[in-house]
Amino acid sequence: MASTAAANFGLNDASLIRTQGFINGQWVDAQEGGTISVTNPATGEVLGTIPEMALTETKQAIDAAAEAFKAWSKTTAKQRHDILKKFYDLMQQHQDDLARIITLENGKPLSEAKGENAYSASFLEWFAEEAVRTYGEVVPSAFPQIRNVVIKQPVGGGSILTPWNFPSAMITRKLAAALAAGCTAVIKPPPETPFSCLALTELATRAGVPPGVINVVTTQANVNEVGREMCSNPIVRKVSFTGSTPVAKALYGLASGTMKKVSIEAGGNAPFVVFDDADIDAAVTGAIACKFRGSGQTCVCANRIYVQSSVYADFASRLAEKVSAFKVGNGLDSETTHGPLIHERAIEKVQRHVEDAVSKGAQVLVGGQRIQGTGTFFAPTVLADVPQSALINHEETFGPLAAITRFETEDEVIRLANDTPVGLAGYFYSRDVGRVWRVAEALEVGMVGVNTGLISQNVIPFGGVKESGIGREGGHGIGEYMNTKLIAIGGL
Ligand code: SIN
């Protein structure tokens, strides 16, 4: 639908801006007629509205996905491969428009949004190639008269609930695996950044994804009647969620009632450790990439930076110098290196963590407060001498706050790093090969970056341990959307 929203985005292809939900191949409004406004976090301006959908539309979407599953699950892997490759090509063709949508609704700088688009599209290419390799196996039998064959089958219609920090990539990381496996989907995009999801849905349709295979239900919250239905309706056979740990627990509880297959990527509290044998320049570069990507709004961001005593002062001053050179602003400006936070609640949390740390003795080296004016901007901040008891060392900040804590020994820092109920990612810098193995094995996380602050790629098993999640996405994650079935053939 051509709309004022489309004009607000200023795209080459205005028809990528969709302001309705998508059910059974039709763009639709909410039955009750309600809408949700979506704002640009850099300016506070309304970009457009999306429907405030409810239970009726959710049930329709789930039914459509279940009906479409009958035919989609029977397509050949090569047919699904070809459609996903076409979808990938369309994402490449429209990369400038898709990046602009990400920047306008999420705030991240355009260069970073282009990076997200490439990352997002890479899941379509990867899973197109995985679709044709969902091999089964022949298992030697325990009995002479029986032969065992193991096959993989798609689980069914699934629910996909995604966060606003990667408006595009968190959709394709799940959706591409689901479609490649032969599953259908109902997607609930976040209310802050729904337009990327809707544009991807438009492109999927152009690529030839049949009606009902992808459905999109737009709504305000995860744990409302929509989210509850998506996770508890008995015909939904899979739930995939990325978001906060408290919401993940609520949705996991709902999905358990009918034993759905579940993939969850929840919050992290990543330690970033710099040992005294590290290359300090490389560690500073890695800390910046890791901590300040998306203005600190990623689940794999460094949340706690532990630096060994003898290199502490050097690392802290070099990090502070680099951070003070950041250019914070509207992501559409070419000078901008770091954009706004997503909303007021995000600002409040960072402010609370700064105040708490300072009240416990931390020193502000750079930043430390909100940037006044329009938009939700927080000055990139570096705190030194942060005590282990500070809130930031125990809760995910999700903002541009680098908190540095001093440590003395390897054993001590491993204990500090693991002193958290979550375990998504962890990072450390060291050039000692023995230490590299020891620490990598000791960290209680799903992913370790050694001498790198960036680990995200389509090919890796992305996911956490402890309260950071269940299952893995990317890599061989197509298996999360498939059941393993034994066929034992007797009477030979
Ligand atoms: C996330 O923050 O949830 C995902 C980050 C990534 O894929 O790199």
Side-chain angles (χ1 to χ4, degrees):
M1 178 198 279
S3 61
T4 47
N8 291 340
F9 281 87
L11 306 185
N12 297 317
D13 180 350
S15 63
L16 288 178
I17 295 302
R18 291 288 181 171
T19 56
Q20 294 169 295
F22 192 65
I23 299 176
N24 205 18
Q26 302 295 317
W27 293 101
V28 287
D29 289 318
Q31 292 198 350
E32 301 280 316
T35 58
I36 302 164
S37 293
V38 180
T39 53
N40 177 344
T43 62
E45 285 159 10
V46 174
L47 291 165
T49 62
I50 50 162
E52 169 75 269
M53 291 181 156
L55 193 57
T56 311
E57 297 90 328
T58 312
K59 285 187 167 163
Q60 286 169 350
I62 290 171
D63 289 344
E67 187 58 32
F69 177 74
K70 292 176 190 162
W72 182 250
S73 58
K74 300 274 182 314
T75 54
T76 64
K78 172 74 167 92
Q79 286 170 319
R80 297 195 296 277
H81 163 279
D82 291 351
I83 289 177
L84 284 167
K85 276 305 287 284
K86 185 142 184 231
F87 189 0
Y88 167 79
D89 290 341
L90 286 168
M91 278 192 78
Q92 300 288 47
Q93 208 177 306
H94 293 278
Q95 56 183 297
D96 290 341
D97 280 351
L98 295 172
R100 201 174 159 88
I101 298 172
I102 293 172
T103 293
L104 283 164
E105 63 181 1
N106 166 281
K108 65 180 74 174
L110 205 48
S111 55
E112 213 175 315
K114 285 185 181 157
E116 178 180 343
N117 188 65
Y119 181 41
S120 178
S122 78
F123 289 109
L124 296 176
E125 187 180 44
W126 173 259
F127 283 112
E129 290 160 359
E130 286 288 283
V132 291
R133 296 193 175 86
T134 55
Y135 303 122
E137 55 183 342
V138 176
V139 179
S141 175
F143 306 106
Q145 294 307 320
I146 287 189
R147 299 292 177 270
N148 298 316
V149 179
V150 177
I151 63 166
K152 301 285 171 74
Q153 293 182 304
V155 294
S159 291
I160 291 177
L161 300 98
T162 61
W164 47 260
N165 61 341
F166 289 86
S168 176
M170 294 306 98
I171 306 250
T172 53
R173 187 154 75 189
K174 299 170 189 308
L175 181 66
L179 298 187
C183 295
T184 55
V186 177
I187 308 173
K188 192 206 84 59
E192 296 87 350
T193 61
F195 291 114
S196 293
C197 173
L198 296 170
L200 292 179
T201 305
E202 167 66 24
L203 291 182
T205 307
R206 292 185 198 173
V209 173
V213 171
I214 300 175
N215 305 273
V216 182
V217 177
T218 53
T219 185
Q220 195 66 256
N222 277 315
V223 194
N224 64 6
E225 57 186 337
V226 173
R228 273 198 278 273
E229 187 66 15
M230 286 176 74
C231 297
S232 62
N233 186 314
I235 63 174
V236 172
R237 293 313 317 152
K238 165 83 193 178
V239 172
S240 181
F241 171 76
T242 295
S244 74
T245 298
V247 173
K249 286 182 184 176
L251 300 182
Y252 187 31
L254 289 164
S256 70
T258 42
M259 291 280 185
K260 300 185 197 315
K261 217 170 157 83
V262 178
S263 305
I264 290 174
E265 192 236 304
N269 178 10
F272 185 103
V273 181
V274 183
F275 287 101
D276 55 9
D277 59 80
D279 173 338
I280 301 300
D281 266 341
V284 169
T285 305
I288 285 173
C290 185
K291 174 65 252 183
F292 292 99
R293 175 173 172 232
S295 289
Q297 301 173 108
T298 85
C299 295
V300 288
C301 268
N303 201 51
R304 305 168 280 155
I305 302 180
Y306 294 111
V307 184
Q308 202 155 13
S309 257
S310 65
V311 293
Y312 182 88
D314 188 22
F315 176 89
S317 68
R318 288 204 228 177
L319 183 69
E321 191 189 328
K322 292 252 167 125
V323 172
S324 60
F326 287 179
K327 298 266 179 296
V328 179
N330 188 320
L332 291 183
D333 296 341
S334 57
E335 303 271 279
T336 296
T337 58
H338 293 81
L341 300 196
I342 193 73
H343 43 42
E344 288 296 330
R345 291 195 308 286
I347 295 267
E348 282 157 21
K349 187 160 193 196
V350 185
Q351 191 73 60
R352 186 158 58 80
H353 278 188
V354 170
E355 283 165 12
D356 170 77
V358 169
S359 76
K360 291 173 178 156
Q363 308 294 318
V364 180
L365 300 188
V366 187
Q369 71 290 310
R370 180 192 190 128
I371 299 174
Q372 296 304 329
T374 48
T376 39
F377 292 95
F378 198 94
T381 297
V382 180
L383 300 183
D385 301 333
V386 177
Q388 178 60 13
S389 61
L391 265 184
I392 187 168
N393 279 333
H394 301 277
E395 281 181 7
E396 189 177 30
T397 308
F398 233 64
L401 166 53
I404 315 177
T405 301
R406 187 189 300 263
F407 75 92
E408 302 296 335
T409 67
E410 187 180 305
D411 284 349
E412 177 198 3
V413 81
I414 289 170
R415 185 178 48 74
L416 295 175
N418 290 338
D419 181 21
T420 171
V422 293
L424 188 57
Y427 307 84
F428 66 94
Y429 277 70
S430 169
R431 286 176 292 189
D432 174 330
V433 71
R435 171 172 275 164
V436 164
W437 277 107
R438 279 194 307 277
V439 178
E441 288 177 0
L443 288 177
E444 295 170 358
V445 294
M447 299 172 285
V448 181
V450 184
N451 296 325
T452 177
L454 289 177
I455 51 174
S456 302
Q457 310 146 54
N458 58 359
V459 297
I460 62 163
F462 193 103
V465 298
K466 295 158 86 176
E467 294 185 16
S468 282
I470 296 167
R472 293 292 179 269
E473 296 189 316
H476 298 307
I478 194 168
E480 304 276 337
Y481 293 85
M482 304 199 91
N483 287 326
T484 298
K485 181 185 276 179
L486 163 72
I487 304 175
I489 304 166
L492 268 73

